[in-house]
């Protein structure tokens, strides 16, 4: 069996409670807190009124709300007792019960040193917080590449060992691992409660938070959404890096943004997100930019209620420089035309007033993106908000070009799922393309095919244009005034003036769209060129090679990735422009997966191969010289729907060896270009069991699973 990467290869040093924080001026937490509206009693202090953290709240303004993780069953189950008449009643009120759950007791093992002067992080817990957490998987690549300073103890080795029996705890405690699992499993909380008693000084403290955002879902404005089940724990600055990283856990219980839902995540959707993010990160040249996953924890005693009954709950910890979304801006200036009428409580349509735009909060958020996230200091600071929008556009254009080139389908490109950083986030009903079908819809709930494969660039652009719309007044101001909007830029300004600025800002739409589509096309050409082994792909390569190949895949119903891999393995002895007989093996191989194959198919594919061979032979060193590059750009292992369903079932059923299997799939996801299962060796004879398994995992799976649509419930 493949050996796990050893913990010692990672220069780990800090447990999670003493990770270095970014300088306070760079923290997202410095943004304004929301002002409560529906709940006048809401205070952002954790020691009072804890239920406000667990109740859905409409905020009138602001960016985030403090909120500690609390992954417990929902609806809440209060402890009960028998009263004098022998009737079972609640033993205490919800407020009292939630107060008991507040993590206010510092854990004894806490180390209290952080490198930041003004923050003193400790681990807090409470009596009620004793649910078991099992570490199912950890990504060594995420640790190495993103959080090399995090001490995870023996976690990297542990996940290759069998899971403890049901009802039992993990053996051999290791302090750093216990801390990691406790915190990333939502049981313990790293914070600074503020108020330094010793010095009598009032400090603001440092607490986990949930972000407020809105979004257009399937094209319609959905109002305020927000992190309904994700809680950001902290931002840390890896030593030697200028880019801070935000650690967030998903499935950690209700937040003020949970609306009607439980704030929890089921195991199956958590496995899907955990693996996909790490798989995307392994594609060359960051061509599938993505948030990262560090750990996947199972909460074996947490039932999560879904349509088909209770399912096991789980928590993914995910990392990104920021989880700000297009919707983070939109919520501050919701689209006006979406607020005309709504179905009211009186059973009819009633006019709805658009919430007041939060002009200052918009400006502040743009500053955070330009300064804190992208380091546009000095001269760069003069770059206005339209420059920021263009940059968000370019980053997302590159991202979606990656999706198209790698056959990745996101499934829910709502504007609250489109990252300001241009990272793939919120992996839900996604899929990697099996049989090539440009019209494929991977999300079972997407009835109209809004987010089908071929529509992805347009849909990501829709999010970018929504961003422009939400910032149009500010863009207009900056054009009209010829300077970057200062604090208070829209204070006391007339409706007329705002309208004028809005119109001026929206004039930029065409320019934005043109650039977005150009960047997408250039990046897509670059990536597809690489996949075919071409150094400087031209537009005629696109029209004469790439498009015809995709047409063939679609008409012959060929599998996208395995066809590309087969082509990638071609050498001058199997692919040649002069000897067409030598191409026949390659034709056989490619067409062996075609459901229907006629003489015409052979002729058509053979014709394409000849043109391809001619083109490759023009590359320096010819066909053979491009072999390694082609292999490095065409995955052998694809995280297909069947692979996901297979491992989900194993882990859900706690099948023997399921944890090792899961980490094996993670390992393959992190090195998808390797020749797993002794690729190229025809016979299975001589392969050991592990290699046979690798080969199985690299296969197409059962036919019924090809193009499998995932439903949204998560
Ligand atoms: P998604 O389409 O998964 O990105 O979710 C859309 C919105 O619903 C986001 O604001 C999520 O935080 C929220 N949401 C989704 N599932 C849940 C859940 N189980 N509990 C609370 N909020 C949720
Ligand atoms: Mg989302």
């Amino acid at each position: 069996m493949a050996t796990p990467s050893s913990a010692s290869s990672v220069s780990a040093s800090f447990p999670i409670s003493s990770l270095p924080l970014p300088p306070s001026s760079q923290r997202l937490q410095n943004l304004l807190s929301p002002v409560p509206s529906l709940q006048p009693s809401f205070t952002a202090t954790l020691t009072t009124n804890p239920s406000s953290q667990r109740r859905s709240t409409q905020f009138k303004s602001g960016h985030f709300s403090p909120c500690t993780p609390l992954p417990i069953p929902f609806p809440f189950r209060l402890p009960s007792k028998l009263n004098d008449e022998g009737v079972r009643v609640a033993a205490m009120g919800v407020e009292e019960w939630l107060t008991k759950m507040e993590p206010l007791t510092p854990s004894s093992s806490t180390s209290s040193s952080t490198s930041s002067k003004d923050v003193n992080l400790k681990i807090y817990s409470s009596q009620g917080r004793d649910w078991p957490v099992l570490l199912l998987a950890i990504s060594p690549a995420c640790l190495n590449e993103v959080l090399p300073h995090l001490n995870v103890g023996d976690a990297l080795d542990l996940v290759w060992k069998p899971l403890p029996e049901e009802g039992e705890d993990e053996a051999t405690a290791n302090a750093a691992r216990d801390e990691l699992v406790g915190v990333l499993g939502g049981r313990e909380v790293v914070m600074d409660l503020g108020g330094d008693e010793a010095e009598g000084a009032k400090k603001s403290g440092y607490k986990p938070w949930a972000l407020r955002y809105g979004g257009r879902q399937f094209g319609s404005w959905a109002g305020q959404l927000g992190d309904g089940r994700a809680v950001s724990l902290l931002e840390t600055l890896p030593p030697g890096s200028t880019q801070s990283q935000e650690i967030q856990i998903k499935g950690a219980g209700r937040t003020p943004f949970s609306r009607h839902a439980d704030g929890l995540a089921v195991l199956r959707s958590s496995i899907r997100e955990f693996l996909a993010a790490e798989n995307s990160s392994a594609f060359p040249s960051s061509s599938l930019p993505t948030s990262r996953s560090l750990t996947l924890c199972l909460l074996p005693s947490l039932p999560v209620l879904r349509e088909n009954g209770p399912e096991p709950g789980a928590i993914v910890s995910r990392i990104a420089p920021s989880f700000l979304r297009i919707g983070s801006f939109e919520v501050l200036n919701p689209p006006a035309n979406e607020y005309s009428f709504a179905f009211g409580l009186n059973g009819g349509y009633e006019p709805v007033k658009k919430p007041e735009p939060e002009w200052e909060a918009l400006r502040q958020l743009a500053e955070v993106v330009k300064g804190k996230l992208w380091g546009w200091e000095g001269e760069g600071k003069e770059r206005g908000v339209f420059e920021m929008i263009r940059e968000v556009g370019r980053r997302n254009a590159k991202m979606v070009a990656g999706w198209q080139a790698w056959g990745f389908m996101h499934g829910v490109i709502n504007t609250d799922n489109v990252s300001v950083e241009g990272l793939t986030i919120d992996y839900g009903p996604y899929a990697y393309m099996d049989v090539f079908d440009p019209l494929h819809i991977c999300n079972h709930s997407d009835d109209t095919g809004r987010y089908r494969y071929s529509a992805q660039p347009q849909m990501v652009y829709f999010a970018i244009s929504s961003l422009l719309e939400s910032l149009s007044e500010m863009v207009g101001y900056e054009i009209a005034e010829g300077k970057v909007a200062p604090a208070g830029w829209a204070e006391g300004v007339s409706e007329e003036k705002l309208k004028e600025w809005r119109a001026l800002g929206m004039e930029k739409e065409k320019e934005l769209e043109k650039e977005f589509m150009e960047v997408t096309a250039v990046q897509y050409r670059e990536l597809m060129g690489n996949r075919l082994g071409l150094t400087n792909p031209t537009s005629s390569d696109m029209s004469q090679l790439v498009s015809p190949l995709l047409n063939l895949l679609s008409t012959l119903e060929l599998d996208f990735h395995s066809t590309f891999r087969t082509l990638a393995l071609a050498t001058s002895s199997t692919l040649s422009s002069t000897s067409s007989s030598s191409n026949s093996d390659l034709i056989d191989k490619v067409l062996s997966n075609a459901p229907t194959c006629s003489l015409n198919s052979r002729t058509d594919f053979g014709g394409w191969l000849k043109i391809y061979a001619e083109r490759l032979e023009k590359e320096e060193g010819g066909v053979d010289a491009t072999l390694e590059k082609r292999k490095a750009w065409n995955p052998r292992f694809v995280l297909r729907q069947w692979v996901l369903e297979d491992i989900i079932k194993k882990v859900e059923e706690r099948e023997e060896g399921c944890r090792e299997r899961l980490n094996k799939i993670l390992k393959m996801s992190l090195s998808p270009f390797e020749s797993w299962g002794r690729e190229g060796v025809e016979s299975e004879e001589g392969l050991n069991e592990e290699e046979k398994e690798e080969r199985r995992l690299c296969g197409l799976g059962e036919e019924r699973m090809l193009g499998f649509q995932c439903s949204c419930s998560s």
Side-chain angles (χ1 to χ4, degrees):
M1 198 180 89
T3 48
S5 35
S6 115
S8 59
S9 66
V10 179
S11 62
S13 52
F14 299 98
I16 204 161
S17 56
S18 36
L19 283 182
L21 298 171
S24 57
S25 63
Q26 284 190 14
R27 278 181 221 138
L28 209 60
Q29 288 209 346
N30 289 350
L31 288 172
L32 286 180
S33 269
V35 174
S37 61
L38 290 190
Q39 293 181 60
S41 63
F42 181 91
T43 60
T45 328
L46 299 181
T47 46
T48 59
N49 215 2
S51 69
S52 53
Q53 280 187 62
R54 318 284 165 216
R55 204 180 300 161
S56 195
T57 303
Q58 283 291 322
F59 292 103
K60 261 189 186 159
S61 65
H63 301 287
F64 73 92
S65 166
C67 177
T68 54
L70 187 62
I72 55 171
F74 186 80
F76 295 143
R77 300 168 180 179
L78 296 188
S80 64
K81 62 173 185 194
L82 291 179
N83 70 7
D84 297 343
E85 281 106 55
V87 178
R88 191 155 283 285
V89 293
M92 61 185 88
V94 69
E95 200 64 52
E96 187 187 346
W97 181 65
L98 286 170
T99 305
K100 282 186 193 296
M101 290 288 207
E102 277 304 295
L104 298 173
T105 321
S107 114
S108 52
S109 62
T110 301
S111 56
S112 59
S113 62
T114 57
S115 62
S116 175
K117 280 195 295 307
D118 57 342
V119 175
N120 185 12
L121 293 181
K122 286 187 185 153
I123 294 195
Y124 290 87
S125 195
S126 70
Q127 252 187 357
R129 296 178 158 262
D130 52 1
W131 52 82
V133 180
L134 293 175
L135 181 67
L136 287 179
I138 177 166
S139 167
C142 175
L143 190 62
N144 262 320
E145 293 160 24
V146 187
L147 297 174
H149 55 313
L150 178 64
N151 181 354
V152 301
D154 66 353
L156 290 170
D157 296 326
L158 177 83
V159 292
W160 291 91
K161 298 188 175 126
L163 272 175
E165 294 288 313
E166 270 191 81
E168 279 180 22
D169 233 340
E170 200 87 68
T172 61
N174 168 288
R177 182 239 299 173
D178 281 351
E179 182 177 314
L180 182 85
V181 173
V183 171
L184 300 184
R187 191 172 52 200
E188 278 123 37
V189 184
V190 183
M191 19 179 211
D192 175 352
L193 284 178
D196 193 330
E197 312 87 37
E199 289 165 31
K202 184 80 192 131
K203 290 193 304 170
S204 58
Y206 192 96
K207 291 150 199 159
W209 67 98
L211 273 185
R212 173 180 181 238
Y213 52 82
R216 286 171 160 99
Q217 299 189 319
F218 289 90
S220 305
W221 178 242
Q224 179 191 287
L225 305 165
D227 286 332
R229 55 172 170 169
V231 175
S232 292
L233 302 181
L234 52 83
E235 283 172 289
T236 173
L237 191 64
S241 170
T242 51
Q243 176 79 85
S244 67
Q245 300 288 344
E246 185 172 328
I247 306 176
Q248 185 177 78
I249 57 178
K250 183 166 173 181
R254 276 179 67 80
T255 76
F257 307 102
S258 296
R259 295 173 291 151
H260 57 280
D262 56 14
L264 304 173
V266 296
L267 177 60
R268 83 192 129 85
S269 70
S270 308
I271 291 179
R272 288 177 59 91
E273 168 143 20
F274 176 81
L275 289 173
E278 288 308 279
N279 184 222
S280 295
S281 79
F283 284 79
S285 306
S286 304
S287 54
L288 270 182
T290 179
S291 66
R292 302 295 300 257
S293 320
L294 179 64
T295 56
L296 170 65
C297 292
L298 173 68
L299 277 65
S301 65
L302 175 65
V304 179
L305 295 178
R306 292 293 180 264
E307 299 93 317
N308 299 323
E311 295 190 41
I315 296 183
V316 169
S317 62
R318 53 184 196 176
I319 324 288
S322 155
F323 288 96
L324 288 173
R325 296 121 198 278
I326 303 299
S328 310
F329 283 93
E330 286 179 289
V331 77
L332 304 172
N333 185 15
N337 55 4
E338 301 267 355
Y339 275 90
S340 46
F341 288 94
F343 203 72
L345 294 176
N346 298 329
Y349 283 93
E350 296 167 2
V352 179
K353 196 170 170 295
K354 178 188 156 177
E356 280 303 310
E358 298 156 56
W359 302 123
E360 190 48 23
L362 272 175
R363 191 194 66 82
Q364 229 183 6
L365 198 58
E367 287 287 300
V368 166
V369 174
K370 293 190 290 177
K372 172 190 180 293
L373 294 182
W374 299 345
W376 288 8
E377 301 296 343
E379 290 268 294
K381 266 202 141 152
E382 294 311 305
R383 279 190 265 177
V385 72
F386 183 63
E387 284 307 307
M388 182 204 83
I389 299 169
R390 281 180 65 193
E391 179 64 18
V392 175
R394 284 191 291 263
R395 288 175 183 229
N396 277 287
K398 285 192 167 176
M399 175 196 74
V400 76
W403 291 1
Q404 300 310 97
W406 297 116
F408 175 83
M409 293 166 279
H410 183 280
V412 210
I413 316 172
N414 294 336
T415 59
D416 51 304
N417 289 340
V418 177
S419 128
V420 165
E421 290 273 13
L423 301 172
T424 310
I425 54 168
D426 285 12
Y427 290 84
Y430 69 86
Y432 290 88
M433 185 72 84
D434 291 311
V435 170
F436 186 73
D437 171 12
L439 301 180
H440 186 67
I441 305 163
C442 67
N443 178 353
H444 190 258
S445 317
D446 182 3
D447 301 330
T448 61
R450 180 180 170 87
Y451 297 136
R452 65 189 181 277
Y453 170 78
S454 58
Q456 294 195 120
Q458 205 54 54
M459 291 299 104
V460 174
Y461 178 69
F462 175 81
I464 303 302
S465 70
S466 303
L467 178 63
L468 174 65
E469 196 182 321
S470 67
L471 286 162
S472 54
E473 290 87 351
M474 201 165 139
V475 172
Y477 170 96
E478 294 189 348
I479 296 170
E481 301 294 317
K483 63 174 185 195
V484 172
W489 64 280
E491 229 167 75
V493 164
S494 69
E495 234 345 284
E496 272 311 291
K497 195 80 203 161
L498 286 168
K499 210 169 146 189
E500 211 176 279
W501 286 342
R502 196 176 310 137
L504 205 53
M506 288 312 290
E507 279 177 17
K508 290 283 189 183
E509 164 108 61
K510 282 269 160 302
E511 182 184 335
L512 191 65
E513 182 171 15
K514 185 163 175 280
E515 185 176 25
F516 180 92
M517 293 305 166
E518 272 170 14
V519 174
T520 307
V522 168
Q523 175 77 353
Y524 178 72
R525 185 171 76 199
E526 196 61 33
L527 297 177
M528 292 309 280
N530 279 321
R531 294 202 70 176
L532 290 176
L534 315 177
T535 357
N536 284 313
T538 60
S539 39
S540 81
D541 288 329
M542 294 307 284
S543 58
Q544 287 171 28
L545 278 177
V546 175
S547 300
L549 175 60
L550 295 179
N551 283 337
L552 279 170
L553 294 189
S554 156
T555 48
L556 298 176
E557 296 178 60
L558 289 172
D559 181 76
F560 185 59
H561 284 292
S562 62
T563 305
F564 270 88
R565 182 72 178 185
T566 306
L567 292 174
L569 297 175
T571 60
S572 57
S573 61
T574 53
L575 178 62
S576 154
S577 64
T578 44
S579 146
S580 53
S581 64
S582 68
N583 294 348
S584 72
D585 275 358
L586 195 51
I587 298 175
D588 286 344
K589 267 210 183 95
V590 169
L591 296 184
S592 64
N593 282 325
T596 51
C597 179
S598 64
L599 202 58
N600 278 351
S601 322
R602 289 190 66 85
T603 318
D604 292 349
F605 203 78
W608 182 86
L609 269 185
K610 196 163 168 356
I611 302 173
Y612 181 41
E614 273 166 13
R615 177 65 183 83
L616 262 191
E617 284 160 4
K618 286 193 197 126
E619 287 289 314
E620 207 182 320
V623 176
D624 293 332
T626 62
L627 179 65
E628 284 314 310
K629 174 178 172 179
R630 280 181 283 128
K631 276 170 78 174
W633 278 84
N634 292 285
R636 156 92 166 136
F637 170 75
V638 179
L639 192 57
R640 294 179 192 273
Q641 302 290 56
W642 84 261
V643 174
L644 288 161
E645 292 294 307
D646 193 64
I647 188 63
I648 285 168
K649 186 160 176 288
K650 286 192 169 81
V651 181
E652 277 182 347
E653 292 174 2
R654 302 277 288 267
E655 206 174 89
E656 202 185 325
C658 65
R659 181 156 64 176
E660 298 97 298
R661 292 295 99 214
L662 176 63
N663 285 279
K664 176 68 184 221
I665 291 175
L666 169 64
K667 195 175 168 131
M668 292 174 75
S669 302
L670 285 167
S671 301
F673 303 91
E674 243 175 65
S675 303
W676 295 103
R678 283 210 240 163
E679 184 185 28
V681 175
E682 288 289 333
S683 154
E684 284 230 340
E685 254 174 68
L687 261 60
N688 64 30
E689 287 309 307
E690 197 56 29
E691 287 165 339
K692 283 185 192 156
E693 174 65 359
E694 289 166 5
R695 211 169 250 211
R696 186 181 80 91
L697 290 168
C698 291
L700 298 188
E702 281 179 60
E703 200 181 328
R704 70 178 176 89
M705 289 304 292
L706 293 175
F708 174 80
Q709 288 180 309
C710 187
S711 65
C712 236
S713 165
S714 53

